[in-house]
Amino acid sequence: MTNYNYDYIRKKFEIDSLKRLNRNYKRKEPLCVEIIKDAIILPQKSTYNTTLSYTWMGVGGILNKEGEFIELSGIPGFGENEGKMVFGGKYNYDKIDEFLDEEILYMGPFQPHWGHFLLEYCTRLWYYIKFQPDIRIAYCGFNCEPDSIRDNFLDFLELLGIHKEQLIDIRKVTKIRKVIIPEQAFLRDKYFTDEYRMLIDYAYKNIGELNLVPYNKVYFTRVGYANARERGEKEIRDIFEKNGYACLAPENLSVAEQMFYVRNCKEFVVIPGGSSMNGVFASNNTKRIYIKKAYLPELPGDVFQIDQITQASQSIFIDCYFKPYSWLPIAYGYGPHFMGVTRELKSFLRIYKIKQFNQLGCYIAIVKNWMWLTQIALNALFQNRKDMFIFCRMRDKIEVLLTQGVSKIIIFPCGKWGNMVKKILDEKDYVEYIMVDHYKCCIDNAVQDIDVLDDEQYKDYMILLCSDKKGQYYESIISTVYNNINDKKRIVELF
């Protein structure tokens, strides 16, 4: 049983939130497997900036021969997305592009993000480890080039005995004779299973002999990470490094090295996030120190799940963030995060007899980072004012249309500005409107497919084009509408 220390968290309600997450996640029920004959795999499609934004990994997945979406092929949400899918859902398609007359194992979605890969994308592969079937493995790739599982992701799969030639990246609508869909062995905020631990241990067993020296105390840092959204961690890292901790950048390590250093350390210090998910490689009874970069009322339970999987001896949470602006960070994964040597960290250092060096430098860094964050805040304020100006201009154009007797409207597309238009029209109870996008997802009937643009049923609807001319999809959106509508007088560009 892990001993949790909340002494270095400043807010009582945050301690209460963490305590609620500290529950038993071990699943005893056996995992299920569905076998679908004559299955169709839909490639991933993005739902960014639509009414389906909670399905942030996109829609796609597996349909049976009746065209019904197989929920086991999706990934359920948690927290505020409870009861929804963060990945998965049916959408309209024109035709089947490819047919594979073979039996396939379904891995799920994939994007090159190490944390999501460890806890979500590889978690169905317990089936491959357990039964060693001689079949290929299909996944729905996104946010990467086709067939581009490589580097640490491919190295990890090879530790499981899976080679690149076995992988199929589904980027076209594909019909397959038979698909095996294993249930996820790890589901964030829900459960973990013995099969997941088996998968991780199997991979570690196959790393072989490494010419490496283990460290008792390991700190995984994000200071040098190119896409880091934290400022101020350097001063924290320096304190630990000068006190004998091996400060390692996981992005510069091979997967075997990451596994080796985490498995063989007695104390693991890390910021909760993608790097902390390497904790699944730890041996039993390691000590964890979590350097918190933000308060998360919706923090998923994966930190506690990982602690339970590896039977961590102790876990200490330390508030190392400043929050001068209430609306920052925008989101945990997006930042920006303002970190530094807080009172809570100083208290931890004093009690555990860890020396703090160059205190003046820490104070200077705090001032510099506060100035950096203030600049971001000013830029955001400017953008909000700009958005408000555009919103008011759109509203004026819509008011003119309504005074001309327009009462039936198609909103296209239903992205950021489409949803703004929706807010305007929701105030007008005499206006009838529909929202249209490039594809319709069956899990959200409020969005219509683009085929309604030339539907006789909607021929008297005005089409409001809600796309910023500076947007990357503007040309595609404009051409889609003008190519599908014969009566160009129905089209009104709001930008």
Side-chain angles (χ1 to χ4, degrees):
M1 179 69 71
T2 303
N3 175 28
Y4 283 97
N5 186 334
Y6 306 113
D7 293 345
Y8 311 105
I9 296 177
R10 64 183 70 128
K11 301 290 187 181
K12 182 182 181 301
F13 67 87
E14 184 176 2
I15 295 173
D16 294 338
S17 177
L18 289 172
K19 286 181 176 179
R20 283 193 296 271
L21 291 170
N22 182 17
R23 56 184 184 269
N24 182 14
Y25 291 93
K26 178 67 180 295
R27 170 171 163 167
K28 296 180 181 179
E29 298 82 9
L31 293 168
C32 67
V33 177
E34 285 192 43
I35 298 176
I36 307 297
K37 295 181 179 179
D38 297 323
I40 294 172
I41 302 186
L42 300 178
Q44 185 268 4
K45 279 193 175 184
S46 173
T47 55
Y48 178 71
N49 250 349
T50 73
T51 56
L52 289 171
S53 57
Y54 55 81
T55 310
W56 67 268
M57 291 185 197
V59 288
I62 297 179
L63 312 180
N64 61 20
K65 61 184 177 182
E66 287 79 27
E68 300 165 329
F69 177 68
I70 305 300
E71 290 202 2
L72 195 66
S73 69
I75 298 179
F78 54 83
E80 61 182 12
N81 291 325
E82 184 77 30
K84 302 173 183 175
M85 290 283 187
V86 295
F87 169 78
K90 178 182 176 181
Y91 55 84
N92 290 345
Y93 58 91
D94 296 328
K95 60 185 176 63
I96 294 173
D97 299 306
E98 193 170 349
F99 174 68
L100 298 177
D101 187 17
E102 59 183 301
E103 186 175 347
I104 296 292
L105 179 64
Y106 175 74
M107 187 174 93
F110 167 81
Q111 64 170 325
H113 184 288
W114 185 241
H116 289 296
F117 177 76
L118 284 180
L119 298 193
E120 287 161 323
Y121 305 150
C122 76
T123 59
R124 302 178 197 269
L125 297 178
W126 64 269
Y127 184 93
Y128 187 87
I129 302 303
K130 194 168 185 177
F131 299 105
Q132 295 291 317
D134 184 19
I135 57 178
R136 294 200 289 168
I137 297 168
Y139 65 92
C140 300
F142 66 105
N143 290 343
C144 58
E145 294 297 319
D147 302 306
S148 62
I149 289 187
R150 57 177 180 266
D151 303 327
N152 279 0
F153 306 100
L154 183 59
D155 292 344
F156 183 83
L157 294 178
E158 289 183 340
L159 292 174
L160 301 178
I162 299 168
H163 304 289
K164 188 174 180 62
E165 296 74 26
Q166 292 175 259
L167 302 173
I168 307 171
D169 188 356
I170 302 294
R171 299 296 177 113
K172 300 177 180 179
V173 178
T174 304
K175 186 174 183 178
I176 299 175
R177 174 166 55 83
K178 184 191 290 187
V179 176
I180 300 171
I181 312 172
E183 192 174 7
Q184 292 175 265
F186 185 110
L187 189 57
R188 296 179 72 181
D189 205 43
K190 298 295 183 183
Y191 63 79
F192 68 89
T193 62
D194 289 332
E195 285 84 356
Y196 183 74
R197 184 61 194 258
M198 173 195 71
L199 184 149
I200 297 297
D201 288 345
Y202 187 92
Y204 182 77
K205 181 184 69 175
N206 290 327
I207 66 173
E209 293 293 328
L210 301 175
N211 188 24
L212 298 173
V213 177
Y215 302 107
N216 283 335
K217 298 179 179 181
V218 171
Y219 181 115
F220 267 15
T221 177
R222 289 175 55 83
V223 168
Y225 183 55
N227 297 321
R229 300 176 179 91
E230 304 86 12
R231 286 291 289 266
E233 191 217 335
K234 181 180 181 300
E235 288 68 39
I236 299 171
R237 182 206 62 183
D238 289 348
I239 291 172
F240 281 92
E241 188 171 39
K242 290 176 181 178
N243 281 276
Y245 288 75
C247 293
L248 308 174
E251 68 272 13
N252 296 331
L253 302 175
S254 69
V255 65
E257 289 170 334
Q258 292 181 55
M259 296 170 76
F260 176 85
Y261 287 124
V262 176
R263 177 61 66 102
N264 291 284
C265 71
K266 293 184 172 66
E267 194 170 315
F268 183 45
V269 186
V270 69
I271 296 173
S275 296
S276 67
M277 294 172 191
N278 283 286
V280 298
F281 301 130
S283 59
N284 290 350
N285 299 316
T286 56
K287 177 181 177 180
R288 313 294 169 85
I289 299 175
Y290 293 111
I291 304 297
K292 292 177 68 272
K293 63 182 179 183
Y295 163 61
L296 280 179
E298 300 299 333
L299 179 74
D302 53 50
V303 166
F304 296 92
Q305 289 172 275
I306 292 171
D307 286 349
Q308 290 179 23
I309 291 171
T310 56
Q311 300 175 35
S313 60
Q314 184 183 27
S315 288
I316 302 172
F317 295 90
I318 308 173
D319 280 343
C320 293
Y321 65 89
F322 298 97
K323 196 175 176 65
Y325 301 106
S326 60
W327 53 276
L328 293 177
I330 297 169
Y332 192 77
Y334 290 98
H337 298 281
F338 181 11
M339 302 179 66
V341 181
T342 58
R343 287 182 299 176
E344 292 76 21
L345 179 58
K346 288 179 182 178
S347 177
F348 166 81
L349 298 176
R350 183 174 62 254
I351 290 175
Y352 283 85
K353 296 181 170 55
I354 297 175
K355 294 182 180 179
Q356 182 183 348
F357 300 88
N358 192 15
Q359 295 189 35
L360 179 60
C362 290
Y363 292 133
I364 292 173
I366 288 172
V367 173
K368 287 183 177 178
N369 290 324
W370 177 79
M371 294 172 64
W372 164 79
L373 196 65
T374 299
Q375 183 62 49
I376 290 178
L378 291 173
N379 290 342
L381 179 62
F382 173 78
Q383 186 61 50
N384 287 339
R385 293 287 178 86
K386 182 179 177 182
D387 287 353
M388 183 56 66
F389 172 77
I390 295 173
F391 176 78
C392 292
R393 192 172 59 186
M394 288 169 56
R395 185 172 57 193
D396 291 343
K397 285 188 176 182
I398 291 171
E399 291 289 352
V400 171
L401 286 173
L402 298 182
T403 57
Q404 293 173 351
V406 173
S407 61
K408 295 182 178 181
I409 291 172
I410 291 176
I411 302 172
F412 177 79
C414 55
K416 172 183 175 180
W417 297 113
N419 280 285
M420 290 286 193
V421 171
K422 179 181 182 299
K423 289 182 180 179
I424 295 171
L425 297 182
D426 281 341
E427 298 173 359
K428 317 292 183 181
D429 55 10
Y430 58 89
V431 175
E432 183 180 335
Y433 69 85
I434 60 172
M435 300 188 72
V436 174
D437 215 313
H438 289 276
Y439 51 90
K440 176 186 175 183
C441 304
C442 291
I443 52 178
D444 190 346
N445 293 322
V447 183
Q448 303 294 319
D449 194 20
I450 57 173
D451 57 11
V452 307
L453 293 177
D454 58 357
D455 191 321
E456 283 293 312
Q457 179 182 349
Y458 301 105
K459 65 180 181 179
D460 56 343
Y461 280 59
M462 294 294 291
I463 300 166
L464 300 189
L465 276 179
C466 314
S467 180
D468 187 346
K469 293 182 180 180
K470 295 181 180 179
Q472 64 183 56
Y473 300 113
Y474 176 73
E475 294 298 334
S476 171
I477 290 168
I478 290 294
S479 62
T480 296
V481 172
Y482 280 94
N483 289 336
N484 280 277
I485 299 299
N486 293 323
D487 183 5
K488 303 299 188 287
K489 294 180 180 179
R490 291 173 55 202
I491 304 171
V492 178
E493 296 187 33
L494 293 180
F495 283 82

